Amino acid sequence: MDKTFLNLFARRGLSLDRLRVLLEIADAGGIAKAVGKDPVRQSQYSRQLKELEEYFGVELTRRDGKSLVLTRAGQQLADIIRQNFLGLADFATACAHEPAIFHLGAGDSLIHWKVLPHIGAFQKVFPAIIMSIRNLQTAQIIDALHSLRLDFGIMRRNAIPSVFKSVSLGKMEYALFVPKQLLPGSSGKTCEWVMNNVPMVAMDSSGEFARKLDEMMRRSRIKMNIRLECESFPAACHAIQSGCYAGILPTMAATDLPEDKFVRIEAPLFKRLSREIALAWNPRIMRLRSASVEIASWFGKNL
Amino acid sequence: MDKTFLNLFARRGLSLDRLRVLLEIADAGGIAKAVGKDPVRQSQYSRQLKELEEYFGVELTRRDGKSLVLTRAGQQLADIIRQNFLGLADFATACAHEPAIFHLGAGDSLIHWKVLPHIGAFQKVFPAIIMSIRNLQTAQIIDALHSLRLDFGIMRRNAIPSVFKSVSLGKMEYALFVPKQLLPGSSGKTCEWVMNNVPMVAMDSSGEFARKLDEMMRRSRIKMNIRLECESFPAACHAIQSGCYAGILPTMAATDLPEDKFVRIEAPLFKRLSREIALAWNPRIMRLRSASVEIASWFGKNL
DNA sequence: GTCATACATTACTGAATAGTCATATATCCT
DNA sequence: AGGATATATGACTATTCAGTAATGTATGAC
């Protein structure tokens, strides 16, 4: 066949270290951030980067203000390198009989109420795998899936780019949760009455949920009696558990709010907030890391 | 995220050269064959192999008689390396504005009558690509597709392992071709008469075709008047062109046998020999070499 | 302009690894 | 057993590439 990648090794200048340096710079977003403390290596990183550029005859980075950004070619090469290292690293961990690490990204609520409740069962089925769970926003997850920094992501289905594969994890619905002590008398108050009269905790994030909720409230001309803002649903849930606030939470949160102390009010209004969520992954990962096939299928069945 | 593949680079002993050496040994099937002439490097290859084994803590080769064979782990690693180098080599050729090389494997007949007739059109559509066409047998093609030494293979559809993707290239039918000068009188002689009375050229290969034909002949108790054996259909076709032999050829061969000089006799008998052929590839190649997507689709439409 | 920050360049040292040669060991063949 | 072939090992050299330090240059903030 061909002379074993002669075009790669005829010239010199290619080395694993230099490739790794490019990857580090790419991941960190600049030389300074890549070397962190120990700025002594700054010059080395700069030089190795230049040597790589000489080897390939292509600009891999461009100055962007004081810092660097990868060119298109640089990003491509970084992707190739990441893919290569992933393969080798997996082989190495397998050889060392060490557990492989898989990275899963998801939002706070999904981590707390969708993933963690099943993580014990996961551990039993996959005793030789380390799961690293990262709290990320949808856009970050998508970016990390593209570059293979994450193996899996959980997010709303309609946000998943079509290049990714996915498996549905069911619907996420919302409901209003109210501490009983804040409800006067016995009778069922309406959702609207609660939101107007009870101190409410609300989400302060810039995400899709807050946007949709805002719009809904404006349309239906309900004004919520907001007295606390939180950045995540689990935080809001804690506030509600204190007994002093009501709030809109994913219905999954019910496990943390016992029925004898909290009332859960569903309303047609909330239907518009509901969304299908899914486990998503870059199809490349399945070829690179064989265990990922079973993991994806397990998540699809059990979450 | 994680500390940029710390597990790979914390220990030393990994280098591109060593990986390349393993790959060469794997491809050549032994150190001696890998170093070829220049046996001076034999010791180096042996040592680098040992260093790789020390690095991964795994046996990569085992002695098999005087020579070496890869262990299961060795094969896995070789596959990973090949995949890695493919990605880098492709990036390098793209950077150098050099045409990428794609390797296509097929049997003699398919090369001559299926591929080469369209290769001019291919060149026009893909001016920046070098096609390397290799004459191989089905088993070799499958092996090479598995290990990514070939990008594409053409073979009969029912021989394609299910892990590969494929696109049909139509049916390959067979017919008996007879030089007019060997046919007495004007009237249509039967297929059987020709095979009994005219000097025939036959295939001498161990392939699927010869086997099936043999069986057919035995069943129908036809005895062919064989006077020449060839190893490939194109060779047999040449013999027929000489005017002194008749023979069974793929109907595609008709382009080389003008109707004014050769008679083409179809017979129900030959239907049993016909088979669907297809372009096959390892799905991994599509991720590694982006151009392969368009190439596969072009072949599917135009061959 | 001045200062702080981030990257680039140069020069030199040291460590890792590739290259070579001689020779030993293992296996196959006859 | 003896010769031929293939791989393994040890000793040494040469080269490449990583590590460190000092200094230069570009950019942004004030």
Side-chain angles (χ1 to χ4, degrees), chain B residues 174-195:
Chain B
Y174 292 86
L176 179 64
F177 289 86
V178 195
K180 281 196 176 161
Q181 62 192 77
L182 295 183
L183 285 176
S186 60
S187 72
K189 295 287 185 180
T190 66
C191 174
E192 204 172 332
W193 183 90
V194 171
M195 291 198 279

Side-chain angles (χ1 to χ4, degrees), chain B residues 164-226:
Chain B
F164 294 156
K165 300 255 181 192
S166 66
V167 54
S168 173
L169 300 181
K171 267 207 165 176
M172 179 136 102
E173 316 258 8
Y174 292 86
L176 179 64
F177 289 86
V178 195
K180 281 196 176 161
Q181 62 192 77
L182 295 183
L183 285 176
S186 60
S187 72
K189 295 287 185 180
T190 66
C191 174
E192 204 172 332
W193 183 90
V194 171
M195 291 198 279
N196 279 322
N197 295 282
V198 169
M200 295 276 294
V201 53
M203 296 283 290
D204 188 22
S205 81
S206 53
E208 152 101 355
F209 172 84
R211 205 175 47 70
K212 269 198 168 176
L213 182 62
D214 247 30
E215 186 195 313
M216 256 175 49
M217 291 293 132
R218 258 186 295 109
R219 265 201 219 165
S220 53
R221 302 213 187 132
I222 298 175
K223 188 144 174 30
M224 285 203 286
N225 180 33
I226 293 172

Side-chain angles (χ1 to χ4, degrees), chain A residues 104-204:
Chain A
L104 168 70
D108 240 348
S109 339
L110 291 167
I111 291 175
H112 275 77
W113 292 307
K114 198 79 187 170
V115 180
L116 292 182
H118 301 92
I119 207 65
F122 177 87
Q123 171 59 22
K124 289 221 176 75
V125 180
F126 298 98
I129 280 176
I130 298 177
M131 255 296 165
S132 161
I133 298 173
R134 311 195 55 81
N135 175 15
L136 297 169
Q137 292 173 310
T138 302
Q140 297 175 295
I141 296 174
I142 290 172
D143 184 52
L145 286 176
H146 266 122
S147 60
L148 302 183
R149 279 169 298 157
L150 279 183
D151 298 291
F152 298 106
I154 301 180
M155 64 188 95
R156 60 178 196 281
R157 174 152 239 176
N158 63 20
I160 301 175
S162 59
V163 293
F164 293 155
K165 300 255 180 194
S166 65
V167 55
S168 173
L169 299 182
K171 266 207 165 178
M172 178 135 105
E173 317 258 7
Y174 293 87
L176 181 63
F177 289 87
V178 195
K180 281 197 175 158
Q181 62 192 79
L182 295 183
L183 284 177
S186 62
S187 72
K189 294 287 187 183
T190 65
C191 172
E192 205 171 331
W193 182 89
V194 171
M195 290 200 279
N196 278 324
N197 294 284
V198 168
M200 295 276 292
V201 52
M203 297 284 289
D204 187 24

Side-chain angles (χ1 to χ4, degrees), chain A residues 12-15 17-18 40-41 43-44 47-48 51 65-66:
Chain A
R12 62 196 150 77
L14 195 63
S15 81
D17 265 272
R18 299 208 245 244
V40 81
R41 290 184 304 162
S43 67
Q44 191 186 347
R47 180 165 39 78
Q48 295 197 333
E51 288 161 341
K66 285 192 286 190

Side-chain angles (χ1 to χ4, degrees), chain B residues 12-15 17-18 40-41 43-44 47-48 65-66:
Chain B
R12 63 195 147 76
L14 195 62
S15 80
D17 265 271
R18 292 180 206 199
V40 82
R41 291 185 302 164
S43 66
Q44 191 186 345
R47 183 165 35 79
Q48 295 198 332
K66 284 190 289 190

